[in-house]
Amino acid sequence: MLKFVSALALGVAISFGASSAIFAQDNPMVGGAPMSPEMNIIENAVNSADHTTLVAAVQAAGLVDTLQGPGPFTVFAPTNRAFGNLPAGTVDTLLEPANLETLQKVLTAHVIAGDYSAAELIAMAEENGGSFGLTTVSGDLLGFQIIGGSLKVIDENRSVADITIADVNQSNGVIHVVDTVLVPN
């Protein structure tokens, strides 16, 4: 059973154990482009060839200004391949102006207020018996569970995402690249 806690309630110091490591790069490359911790989430995302669908969706949803704001935000950024794994026509339907609210909900279900490194997420899972949950900006829940020694992100429909690139630090938060689009109820 997942224990869900509010991201706002977690404003406490977290200790790190030796088993809390996900390998992150000092200067990560994402989608063939270097990511700069001096740039914000949007400024970096537009440079990633692996995130063109996500960037187009964020633009269509009118969320560019929000994600360029001070944050901090933790973003679980699905790749183009993740969007391609959705049922045929899903992305096109979401991008239609009539579906703006749904698109905004789906995208903000990938964002948590705060700056959570992979090590912090793992430590929180370990402190909570191997799993816990955080409330997203959309008000939905993302679950985090250690499975087979790896941290997994689980949406409300029980789809499981792997973090393929962790700790892509930004001036206004952090991005964790994921291989699955996280869909809220």
Side-chain angles (χ1 to χ4, degrees), residues 21 89 110 122 130:
H110 290 79
I122 289 170

Side-chain angles (χ1 to χ4, degrees), residues 1 6 8 16 18 24 26 36 48 64 74 76 91-92 95 121 124-125 132 142 148-149 155 163 180:
M1 169 170 284
S6 167
L8 298 175
F16 298 85
D26 288 332
S36 170
S48 170
V64 170
T74 298
F76 296 91
V91 173
D92 291 335
L95 293 175
L121 294 169
M124 287 186 280
F132 74 103
L142 284 181
D155 69 19
I163 297 173
T180 302

